[in-house]
Amino acid sequence: MAEACRLAEESVRNDWGGPFGAVIARGGEIVARGQNRVLLTGDITAHAEIETIRKAVQVLNSEAPSIAKNRRRDSTLELVPRPEGSADKVPERAKMLMGMEIYISGAPCPMCMSAIYWARLEAVHFSSDLEATSAIGFDDAFQYEDFNRPFEERRIKIEQFRPDLGAEVYDVWLAKSDRHPY
Ligand SMILES: [Zn+2]
């Protein structure tokens, strides 16, 4: 957590972004570091957690972006069985960042929390809570609230459009005999 907060402070002092830093660790060893770089890059998604997950993926998938099929066992794409009692219909999924934990200087926004789910991280440890983050001018609490509303009541218009086109490409995925679940 000290390293996550050091990264957060570094970002502020260098004018790279907001006061947010993160590290991903496995068994007490740091695998990847990241910090908010929204101001440095103009990239809205350059939050500390996203940067850190991407860095961990680069470290763990040295062959990326085109991981050879015979090397997948050594990568985040390694297949592992779903936990017992899982409602998931797919028996195996890619390991991603299982067995790792993330330490964040501030509680995650919904985008980062979603990335954490996709990454299959085991635990999230944050220093400042959402209330403290809101108090310094970063308000994402409304996003958590919006997710709880049906589509027609959300702040941003969201609607289904041309479902036939999406169905066609889903069929391409289903027809692919060697598709890799993740
Ligand atoms: Zn975020």
Side-chain angles (χ1 to χ4, degrees):
M1 188 59 84
E3 177 63 359
C5 291
R6 185 196 68 76
L7 288 157
E9 186 175 333
E10 182 180 62
S11 190
V12 174
R13 294 202 185 280
N14 288 316
D15 204 22
W16 290 342
F20 308 106
V23 302
I24 287 174
R26 178 173 49 192
E29 293 281 316
I30 291 178
V31 174
R33 296 169 166 78
Q35 61 203 157
N36 186 293
R37 291 189 168 176
V38 169
L39 297 177
L40 179 70
T41 61
D43 179 352
I44 301 106
T45 65
H47 287 195
E49 301 91 320
I50 303 288
E51 298 281 297
T52 309
I53 288 169
R54 286 184 175 155
K55 187 66 193 295
V57 166
Q58 286 166 12
V59 168
L60 297 164
N61 300 330
S62 52
E63 309 282 324
S66 53
I67 301 164
K69 285 186 183 175
N70 60 351
R71 297 282 190 90
R72 281 181 178 168
R73 239 169 303 137
D74 310 318
S75 77
T76 54
L77 297 186
E78 177 186 349
L79 288 174
V80 293
R82 300 298 293 156
E84 272 203 42
S86 168
D88 196 340
K89 281 177 255 168
V90 178
E92 289 181 309
R93 287 200 184 268
K95 179 173 70 172
M96 306 307 192
L97 305 183
M98 274 180 192
M100 301 182 199
E101 307 190 355
I102 190 165
Y103 293 80
I104 320 170
S105 59
C109 75
M111 172 181 72
C112 292
M113 195 61 222
S114 291
I116 287 164
Y117 279 114
W118 284 116
R120 307 207 166 97
L121 286 160
E122 304 280 335
V124 177
H125 311 274
F126 61 85
S127 180
S128 297
D129 62 14
L130 287 176
E131 212 167 73
T133 306
S134 172
I136 61 160
F138 296 92
D139 192 5
D140 44 28
F142 77 90
Q143 296 178 15
Y144 277 110
E145 290 163 18
D146 216 42
F147 276 129
N148 286 325
R149 297 194 175 102
F151 280 180
E152 58 275 15
E153 289 175 25
R154 296 213 185 162
R155 291 182 177 218
I156 296 176
K157 179 180 173 179
I158 175 166
E159 60 164 18
Q160 191 171 27
F161 181 68
R162 291 291 307 272
D164 54 314
L165 295 178
E168 276 175 30
V169 67
Y170 280 9
D171 286 344
V172 174
W173 170 254
L174 279 181
K176 189 174 163 62
S177 59
D178 63 344
R179 64 180 186 271
H180 192 89
Y182 66 92

